[in-house]
Amino acid sequence: EDQVTQSPEALRLQEGESSSLNCSYTVSGLRGLFWYRQDPGKGPEFLFTLYSAGEEKEKERLKATLTKKESFLHITAPKPEDSATYLCAVTGTASKLTFGTGTRLQVTL
Amino acid sequence: ETGVTQTPRHLVMGMTNKKSLKCEQHLGHNAMYWYKQSAKKPLELMFVYNFKEQTENNSVPSRFSPECPNSSHLFLHLHTLQPEDSALYLCASSFEGDRQFFGPGTRLTVL
């Protein structure tokens, strides 16, 4: 059974204080690892797809990386508007998306 | 309107009521999904439809009944729900199993 574990559960940063979120996974035949952002009361918003170890993707202050066992979402010089829950999910040979419980990020001034 | 839309956004119902959730996607996708999101738990996949055909029912109780009349519309019919069914219900769509795009969700409260 595919599994995704995200850490930390919650993270509080000051504006400009860079950090990383972790997503550890076990999956049968990785077909894709996905990062989503979810604001309170809203649906998840797609950020990145990573397909193979060594791949990296960037968008503004966010950078996602992938190894054979985990993915990191690096946040560089975060701003308050980056506050949200960040979800990681994987899909394997079963073609089913398995989510982690997310990391709740709060960025303060 | 673009993306994935869901109605209603909020729903309060008693345990004996019958209600339906509606989802519509304007992205030309061929797969649609229902998820349940409860506090402190990962998103739980409930149902998957590919080209209007149900391809997955993730051991969901029969008090939840999905309907997919075409590749753009998806319904979730609810009857005799329990308080523990209170959650955020999310609809998503994708093209051939690629990245999924989510709607805003329906916040359901069962009294």
Side-chain angles (χ1 to χ4, degrees):
Chain A
E1 187 177 329
D2 300 343
Q3 280 194 313
V4 176
T5 302
Q6 291 187 248
S7 62
E9 185 175 323
L11 181 62
R12 186 183 173 108
L13 300 173
Q14 286 198 319
E15 185 175 13
E17 181 186 1
S18 302
S19 188
S20 297
L21 313 183
N22 177 262
C23 171
S24 298
Y25 66 90
T26 54
V27 64
S28 177
L30 179 71
R31 294 178 64 179
L33 183 141
F34 303 83
W35 281 98
Y36 286 86
R37 169 194 170 126
Q38 186 173 24
D39 292 296
K42 296 188 177 181
E45 174 190 344
F46 172 79
L47 293 173
F48 304 107
T49 308
L50 301 168
Y51 294 102
S52 58
E55 190 175 358
E56 299 182 352
K57 293 264 178 84
E58 279 189 74
K59 179 180 178 180
E60 296 180 357
R61 295 176 292 282
L62 301 177
K63 179 180 176 181
T65 61
L66 181 65
T67 72
K68 288 186 177 180
K69 293 183 179 180
E70 58 191 351
S71 176
F72 290 93
L73 184 66
H74 306 280
I75 303 177
T76 302
K79 298 182 178 181
E81 52 262 42
D82 295 322
S83 298
T85 296
Y86 291 85
L87 301 172
C88 174
V90 296
T91 186
T93 52
S95 297
K96 185 173 119 175
L97 203 55
T98 299
F99 280 87
T101 51
T103 293
R104 192 171 64 255
L105 174 66
Q106 184 179 10
V107 182
T108 58
L109 291 169
Chain B
E1 205 166 359
T2 59
V4 181
T5 59
Q6 290 187 243
T7 55
R9 294 295 312 277
H10 302 272
L11 178 62
V12 179
M13 58 187 290
M15 290 192 286
T16 58
N17 292 158
K18 287 185 181 181
K19 297 286 184 182
S20 295
L21 309 185
K22 179 183 176 182
C23 175
E24 185 172 359
Q25 60 97 0
H26 310 268
L27 300 168
H29 290 162
N30 57 9
M32 296 187 77
Y33 312 79
W34 279 117
Y35 287 89
K36 175 183 179 182
Q37 188 174 34
S38 305
K40 303 285 187 182
K41 289 185 177 181
L43 270 75
E44 300 172 49
L45 179 64
M46 300 174 73
F47 301 103
V48 181
Y49 278 83
N50 277 292
F51 293 102
K52 304 186 301 176
E53 299 296 322
Q54 185 175 315
T55 57
E56 183 144 357
N57 175 340
N58 211 25
S59 302
V60 180
S62 59
R63 57 185 183 270
F64 295 91
S65 174
E67 178 190 0
C68 188
N70 55 61
S71 58
S72 298
H73 293 84
L74 185 65
F75 295 89
L76 188 62
H77 304 298
L78 316 171
H79 63 99
T80 59
L81 294 191
Q82 305 298 311
E84 59 263 30
D85 296 322
S86 298
L88 183 67
Y89 288 85
L90 291 161
C91 173
S93 70
S94 71
F95 183 71
E96 295 184 348
D98 196 9
R99 59 188 180 178
Q100 294 180 20
F101 289 83
F102 286 82
T106 295
R107 172 65 64 184
L108 174 67
T109 302
V110 182
L111 301 176

